[in-house]
Amino acid sequence: MEIQLSDVSLHCLDTGTPDSGSTGETILFVHGFPLDHTMWSAQTAEFSKTHRCIAPDLRGFGASGVTAGTVTMSQFADDLNELLQQLGIDGPIIVCGLSMGGYIAFELWNRHPNRVGRLVLCDTRAKSDSTEVARGRAIMANQVEQNGMSGVSDGMVPKLIAAGSGVAKGITDVIDSADPNGVAAAQRGMAKREDFTERLSEISIPTLVVCGEQDVITPIEEMRSMTDAVFKSVFAVIPEAGHLAPLEQPAKVNEAVRAWLNS
Ligand code: MLT
């Protein structure tokens, strides 16, 4: 479905509504960069049996509208808040974000705390960018605006997934078809994001942290120390997975999330 927000239209999957027998609890799935909501297909299929699952394409990605320039993590979080309002969801929900989706989950918790009842943080980090990383993002943003997405997936895909993973082709197709203006705007937004490291101890809601064992972008040790800083947290390491653990090892991730939800 398409949901019209104040200045952009978001494409969104809304499945497993209370009418179809779920418990009525809602899970919001927030995708990583530069992907779209389809990265959560295995999770929405599984958790729609018991929960309402909302999986939007963020502004600038998938089938959603694009706004060029810079889109900050705060803007993405405000979009999600507005989306939930439009869908008539008021109470606290479970927010599950991967990587950039995790940065946005932190901002949702920061800006709209009443929205977030539980957190699932997959392959993400609390820390903001170093100057060098931010500079790299600016270069990439300018490049894709000028030259399009050609060649971007070649450098990116091997870092996103574990060696021998079967999902390379699907990921490559999504990256190749991403909108260059949307990609550039999110890169600039990520470069400006707030550092939440010192605020992790303020997170008092139940939190599951999921990390692919072979994640080279947000490695286990960094994610373990992030978990340790969150009061009510559980850490799940997913074997034979890289940065895109929910896509690479969907059954193992679903099992970890289900066990945590039931605990
Ligand atoms: C992602 O998977 O969303 C990216 O690795 C986030 C980033 O570029 O920091």
Side-chain angles (χ1 to χ4, degrees):
M1 65 164 73
E2 313 304 316
I3 307 282
Q4 183 61 48
L5 305 186
S6 39
D7 69 335
V8 75
S9 169
L10 293 192
H11 179 75
C12 177
L13 175 75
D14 180 359
T15 182
T17 64
D19 290 345
S20 64
S22 86
T23 61
E25 253 191 305
T26 299
I27 308 178
L28 173 68
F29 291 95
V30 190
H31 65 77
F33 171 91
L35 306 178
D36 62 28
H37 80 280
T38 58
M39 66 150 286
W40 297 113
S41 297
Q43 284 70 44
T44 52
E46 167 59 24
F47 292 100
S48 59
K49 294 174 193 162
T50 50
H51 291 71
R52 182 173 179 181
C53 294
I54 311 291
D57 289 342
L58 294 164
R59 179 190 288 254
F61 295 94
S64 288
V66 180
T67 51
T70 302
V71 179
T72 60
M73 301 304 102
S74 305
Q75 177 67 65
F76 283 128
D78 290 353
D79 286 351
L80 294 177
N81 182 51
E82 199 181 341
L83 174 77
L84 293 168
Q85 267 165 7
Q86 298 249 11
L87 292 172
I89 298 166
D90 298 322
I93 59 166
I94 301 162
V95 179
C96 174
L98 180 132
S99 202
M100 181 179 78
Y103 311 157
I104 296 166
F106 282 127
E107 274 302 345
L108 200 56
W109 165 80
N110 180 38
R111 297 170 72 82
H112 307 282
N114 296 338
R115 284 273 178 220
V116 190
R118 289 194 256 180
L119 274 173
V120 183
L121 300 169
C122 302
D123 301 282
T124 191
R125 58 166 49 93
K127 211 169 159 26
S128 56
D129 284 354
S130 64
T131 312
E132 190 190 341
V133 170
R135 195 176 302 127
R137 290 195 197 276
I139 292 168
M140 193 246 201
N142 293 339
Q143 267 171 2
V144 296
E145 278 176 342
Q146 279 161 26
N147 308 323
M149 293 301 290
S150 168
V152 171
S153 57
D154 297 346
M156 198 175 266
V157 174
K159 293 186 202 138
L160 288 174
I161 56 178
S165 170
V167 300
K169 166 88 174 72
I171 302 294
T172 302
D173 290 347
V174 173
I175 296 175
D176 288 351
S177 61
D179 187 296
N181 289 318
V183 166
Q187 277 287 38
R188 296 192 186 104
M190 285 193 282
K192 289 187 171 162
R193 73 186 188 279
E194 187 182 327
D195 194 318
F196 280 95
T197 312
E198 295 302 319
R199 298 196 53 201
L200 291 172
S201 59
E202 292 173 34
I203 300 178
S204 56
I205 52 177
T207 300
L208 173 67
V209 179
V210 173
C211 182
E213 193 174 30
Q214 297 171 46
D215 188 338
V216 293
I217 297 179
T218 49
I220 287 190
E221 282 326 311
E222 183 175 352
M223 291 206 72
R224 196 187 302 279
S225 55
M226 185 177 89
T227 313
D228 289 346
V230 177
F231 179 52
K232 286 189 215 158
S233 59
V234 172
F235 189 43
V237 175
I238 307 299
E240 295 170 69
H243 188 61
L244 299 183
L247 223 154
E248 299 178 75
Q249 294 296 343
K252 288 173 189 162
V253 169
N254 289 357
E255 196 184 325
V257 174
R258 182 68 75 189
W260 174 77
L261 285 173
N262 292 340
S263 64

